[in-house]
Amino acid sequence: MKPQVRQLAVLLVACLLTGSVHAKLNIFACEPEWAALTQELAGEHAAVFAATHAGQDPHYVQARPSLIAKLRSADLAVCTGAELEIGWMPMLQRRARNPKVLPGKPGYFEATHQVVLLEKPAKLDRAEGDVHGDGNPHIQMDPRRVLEVAQALSSRLQQLDPGNKPAYESLMQEFTTRWNSSIERWQSEAEGLKGKRAVVHHREWVYLLDWLGMQRAGSLEPKPGIPPNMAHLADLKKQQADLIILSPANDTKPSDWLQEQTGVPVVVLPHTVGAVPNSDDLFGFFDEIIRRLSEAEKT
């Protein structure tokens, strides 16, 4: 082999080895909140792809070829679980044919498996609407549970990429410090909300109310996923509520009617990262929730 060719071969091998050592993890996040959390915990060591955006209902997602291709190349899939993605994620997994991200493998992570869920039904009855057998999956609304998920997710990243374990540990420590400090601030700012009664559009707010010490006065949906009728709205009119809570994805007609009838203020809160302005990361997400709730409570 000529010297020039030998040198080129050595350089090529060195580049390949270097690339393999420093290759980023490819991470497929089912929802924006888990994409944001993963990015906080992985930093520059991962390329994070969000399969859905704030304008989509994560219950109903089309298994597009672009999503299949992303999952096929993923080292880790981070999803909510508790049947939230049951209508589309299993199909993506079958079509992607990537054994690393199948249930039971280290490359598949469900956030709801890391925390205690609320509203777990004693029995599953689809006549009761869009009920999840494992419990309410909308844990992203409680920052305490988000921290529990973060701890488990950081451990999973370290398991999949042990060469960068010190970096993941450092990022987790930094996130924990900032997050706990923010929780204290949020709770202080929301002190006046304790005991307040809220009518919610969908049951996704149960974890938020639980965290802030608020009470649910009723739901605009008579059953999860079922649009309200006038008889149900008339019943809600009798409830003593302080706020009406909905997300940007909800139909505003029922809440507008109830506000007109009762004078109770309506507050639109982000249900996921990026759902409203100034909520483009997890810290901004909760900043905006607390700001909007506090302003509505004072009206």
Side-chain angles (χ1 to χ4, degrees):
M1 182 181 293
K2 294 182 179 180
Q4 296 90 339
V5 175
R6 185 181 297 110
Q7 289 176 352
L8 182 61
V10 170
L11 286 172
L12 180 60
V13 171
C15 288
L16 289 173
L17 289 175
T18 301
S20 63
V21 171
H22 297 287
K24 293 184 177 183
L25 288 176
N26 286 320
I27 300 179
F28 180 103
C30 287
E31 288 83 30
E33 57 265 25
W34 307 130
L37 179 62
T38 305
Q39 197 64 70
E40 292 277 356
L41 302 178
E44 64 181 9
H45 303 291
V48 182
F49 169 77
T52 59
H53 56 75
Q56 290 179 282
D57 184 340
H59 294 85
Y60 309 106
V61 176
Q62 185 179 1
R64 304 188 305 276
S66 58
L67 294 183
I68 296 170
K70 286 290 185 180
L71 189 61
R72 183 175 294 134
S73 63
D75 300 298
L76 174 65
V78 181
C79 297
T80 297
E83 300 183 344
L84 184 70
E85 304 96 356
I86 196 170
W88 54 279
M89 188 60 180
M91 184 182 299
L92 282 183
Q93 289 168 319
R94 287 195 300 271
R95 294 184 178 179
R97 298 180 181 178
N98 179 356
K100 292 189 290 186
V101 296
L102 294 177
K105 299 296 183 180
Y108 183 64
F109 179 95
E110 289 191 350
T112 50
H113 280 184
Q114 320 307 322
V115 300
V116 176
L117 300 186
L118 301 177
E119 297 189 329
K120 186 170 184 176
K123 64 176 182 177
L124 189 60
D125 185 355
R126 292 303 180 189
E128 294 302 311
D130 184 17
V131 177
H132 296 268
D134 293 332
N136 191 312
H138 303 291
I139 61 171
Q140 79 275 10
M141 305 309 305
D142 182 347
R144 301 168 302 180
R145 285 176 167 85
V146 170
L147 183 57
E148 292 182 67
V149 174
Q151 292 165 343
L153 181 54
S154 180
S155 296
R156 187 65 60 87
L157 291 169
Q158 295 169 41
Q159 178 185 353
L160 293 173
D161 187 15
N164 284 314
K165 182 177 180 179
Y168 294 128
E169 289 176 334
S170 177
L171 287 165
M172 181 63 206
Q173 184 177 7
E174 179 185 349
F175 176 79
T176 301
T177 300
R178 292 176 60 212
W179 197 247
N180 281 330
S181 176
S182 295
I183 288 177
E184 290 183 11
R185 175 172 55 81
W186 293 326
Q187 290 179 166
S188 176
E189 293 172 356
E191 187 68 27
L193 293 164
K194 283 186 178 179
K196 297 294 184 181
R197 292 170 54 82
V199 170
V200 300
H201 187 103
H202 184 66
R203 299 289 284 272
E204 64 195 328
W205 306 107
V206 62
Y207 291 100
L208 178 68
L209 300 184
D210 180 68
W211 168 46
L212 295 177
M214 299 175 67
Q215 301 176 36
R216 187 176 65 86
S219 298
L220 290 168
E221 294 178 337
K223 296 178 181 179
I226 306 299
N229 54 38
M230 287 307 302
H232 178 69
L233 291 175
D235 287 338
L236 284 179
K237 182 181 173 181
K238 304 171 186 176
Q239 301 300 319
Q240 298 297 316
D242 301 293
L243 296 170
I244 303 169
I245 297 176
L246 66 156
S247 81
N250 297 143
D251 181 5
T252 59
K253 294 185 183 68
S255 58
D256 287 345
W257 182 89
L258 190 59
Q259 182 184 35
E260 289 173 1
Q261 296 295 314
T262 64
V264 175
V266 173
V267 55
V268 178
L269 300 180
H271 57 293
T272 186
V273 170
V276 301
N278 303 316
S279 66
D280 292 334
D281 60 33
L282 284 169
F283 292 90
F285 173 59
F286 281 103
D287 280 342
E288 195 62 16
I289 286 174
I290 298 303
R291 186 189 69 79
R292 291 184 178 214
L293 277 175
S294 298
E295 286 187 359
E297 185 266 333
K298 293 172 184 176
T299 58

